[in-house]
Amino acid sequence: MFSAAFPNDRGDIRLFSPALDKRRALGYNGGMKVDQSVEDYLETILLLSQSAEQVHRADVARRLGVSLPAVTKAVRKLCDMDYVRTEGMHIHLTESGLARAREIYGKHVDIARFLVSLGVAGDVAERDACLMEHVVSEQTYAAIRSYLKGADAT
């Protein structure tokens, strides 16, 4: 999913990926906001928890392509936000973390489905959905969901 994570001078974790290179080329600032990083970690923890009983920090690091210290720092922030709790090297979503992770992942799935319905290739739709899920307005997302409901009805 992501190829690297770097803390900035304020200590915020910023994730970078090949898809962000495309954003930079289009004139975006190239870095993700902390909220986006938090969302990526929550989504990753959710997906890992669906396929394994225990989510290990090392699995999160591998999945996001980041270092173990970067995951440790992010998990500390997620704990402070009451999104996760930890037991040793295991990470568990709290009730609020699970709700937020499901919301983020649902948005990702809906946006990817929408893009595929427009003829975008699946792999491209997945990459674009990873970026769009963080910045799409509520109004646009509601329109996408409405479109998908109409498409499902036909």
Side-chain angles (χ1 to χ4, degrees):
M1 189 146 113
F2 292 96
S3 57
F6 305 96
N8 66 15
D9 54 344
R10 292 185 316 269
D12 299 331
I13 296 171
R14 292 184 172 218
L15 299 176
F16 294 88
S17 72
L20 287 176
D21 292 339
K22 183 177 179 182
R23 286 181 54 158
R24 275 194 283 283
L26 294 172
Y28 292 91
N29 69 8
M32 291 182 139
K33 291 190 267 181
V34 175
D35 290 347
Q36 294 169 327
S37 178
V38 165
E39 290 176 354
D40 285 331
Y41 275 95
L42 287 173
E43 189 174 12
T44 298
I45 294 166
L46 173 68
L47 294 174
L48 288 171
S49 71
Q50 291 174 344
S51 61
E53 189 172 315
Q54 299 286 334
V55 176
H56 301 268
R57 293 171 195 240
D59 296 331
V60 175
R62 206 172 4 265
R63 181 79 170 254
L64 289 173
V66 300
S67 69
L68 201 50
V71 172
T72 299
K73 186 172 185 172
V75 167
R76 204 172 309 124
K77 182 174 187 71
L78 293 171
C79 284
D80 291 345
M81 299 171 81
D82 194 36
Y83 283 146
V84 301
R85 62 180 175 75
T86 61
E87 292 176 19
M89 295 302 277
H90 301 133
I91 307 165
H92 305 278
L93 292 167
T94 63
E95 195 172 309
S96 62
L98 181 60
R100 183 74 178 116
R102 284 180 174 159
E103 177 186 329
I104 297 159
Y105 183 62
K107 190 180 285 189
H108 173 102
V109 169
D110 288 344
I111 292 169
R113 282 183 52 223
F114 173 70
L115 294 172
V116 167
S117 76
L118 297 176
V120 176
D123 60 330
V124 175
E126 280 295 317
R127 281 194 309 271
D128 289 348
C130 281
L131 296 171
M132 295 170 67
E133 68 193 28
H134 304 294
V135 296
V136 68
S137 70
E138 287 302 316
Q139 181 179 1
T140 299
Y141 181 56
I144 289 170
R145 292 191 68 193
S146 177
Y147 172 87
L148 290 171
K149 284 180 184 168
D152 289 344
T154 57

